[in-house]
């Protein structure tokens, strides 16, 4: 593994750094790519040079990185429905990724306190406006705004814990 790592690290890291601005993220992704390539060596058939084969893995991992980044960006923005996020943020080729995202969203919502989960579901799944949520929960508009802000923060924290 050490020789493999030393042989390809500079090449892959340079390639990744040209695609991703953040140096720490690029190095982390480089390590992920090299580990993935190392674990996939038994499946390497030699149809392309090993260098080109690893570069192919790198290209796919970078695409995955940006796809996940897009999902997180969309997920944490104020889109009317979490269901719609999964449907719209991924192209038709990402059906399994879409289902995985829906499952992750459900898991995180289920881990939140009942109050936070309920207010997020009312806002993003049922698509209610804050005034409608306030009426439904018999709370003031300001109380709903505050609780929604805290719920979104808690959701982000839990989501990031699960996915880091």
């Amino acid at each position: 593994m050490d020789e493999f790592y030393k042989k390809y690290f500079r090449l892959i890291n340079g390639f990744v750094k040209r695609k991703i601005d953040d140096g720490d993220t690029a190095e982390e992704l480089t390590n992920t790519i090299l580990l993935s390539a190392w674990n996939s060596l038994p499946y390497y058939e030699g149809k392309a040079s090993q260098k080109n084969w690893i570069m192919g893995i790198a290209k796919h991992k970078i695409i995955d990185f940006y796809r996940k980044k897009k999902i997180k960006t969309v997920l944490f923005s104020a889109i009317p429905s979490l269901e719609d996020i999964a449907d719209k943020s991924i192209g038709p080729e990402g059906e399994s990724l879409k289902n995985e995202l829906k499952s992750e969203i459900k898991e995180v919502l289920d881990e939140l306190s009942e109050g936070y989960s309920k207010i997020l579901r009312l806002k993003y799944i049922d698509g209610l406006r804050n005034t409608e949520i306030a009426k439904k929960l018999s709370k003031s508009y300001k109380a709903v705004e505050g609780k929604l802000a805290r719920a979104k923060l808690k959701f982000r924290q839990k989501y990031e814990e699960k996915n880091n």
Side-chain angles (χ1 to χ4, degrees):
M1 172 82 182
D2 283 345
E3 284 182 40
F4 181 83
Y5 185 87
K6 287 176 186 174
K7 183 176 180 180
Y8 292 109
F9 180 82
R10 289 187 65 207
L11 171 74
I12 300 301
N13 195 45
F15 176 72
V16 173
K17 280 183 176 180
R18 286 190 298 278
K19 304 291 183 187
I20 297 174
D21 287 339
D22 181 6
D24 290 339
T25 302
E27 188 167 334
E28 186 178 318
L29 189 55
T30 298
N31 289 328
T32 300
I33 291 164
L34 291 172
L35 181 61
S36 179
W38 175 258
N39 289 334
S40 299
L41 269 176
Y43 308 105
Y44 171 63
E45 297 175 350
K47 293 180 182 176
S49 71
Q50 198 172 56
K51 175 184 144 192
N52 288 342
W53 177 72
I54 293 171
M55 291 297 282
I57 292 171
K59 288 174 188 173
H60 286 97
K61 292 287 185 189
I62 290 168
I63 290 168
D64 288 347
F65 168 81
Y66 279 113
R67 185 177 290 139
K68 287 177 183 175
K69 184 175 180 177
K70 179 180 179 183
I71 289 168
K72 283 183 180 181
T73 300
V74 173
L75 180 64
F76 297 139
S77 65
I79 301 275
S81 164
L82 290 176
E83 284 289 325
D84 288 344
I85 291 168
D87 291 338
K88 293 177 182 175
S89 67
I90 305 168
E93 78 286 349
E95 189 66 32
S96 66
L97 192 56
K98 179 175 72 173
N99 291 334
E100 181 181 323
L101 175 61
K102 285 181 181 180
S103 176
E104 287 176 8
I105 290 168
K106 185 181 179 332
E107 281 179 35
V108 173
L109 283 173
D110 289 345
E111 288 179 13
L112 295 176
S113 70
E114 180 63 33
Y116 285 168
S117 178
K118 184 174 186 173
I119 200 162
L120 288 172
R121 288 176 195 276
L122 290 170
K123 178 73 175 176
Y124 296 107
I125 295 176
D126 297 344
L128 299 180
R129 294 188 316 263
N130 290 5
T131 53
E132 296 169 315
I133 296 170
K135 186 181 272 187
K136 188 171 186 104
L137 299 178
S138 301
K139 301 230 183 245
S140 73
Y141 178 85
K142 284 290 186 189
V144 167
E145 267 188 337
K147 189 166 190 171
L148 192 55
R150 291 187 304 276
K152 287 194 291 188
L153 178 63
K154 195 61 150 171
F155 181 92
R156 271 189 212 109
Q157 290 169 344
K158 290 226 181 254
Y159 183 87
E160 287 172 357
E161 283 172 16
K162 287 184 92 54
N163 292 291
N164 283 334

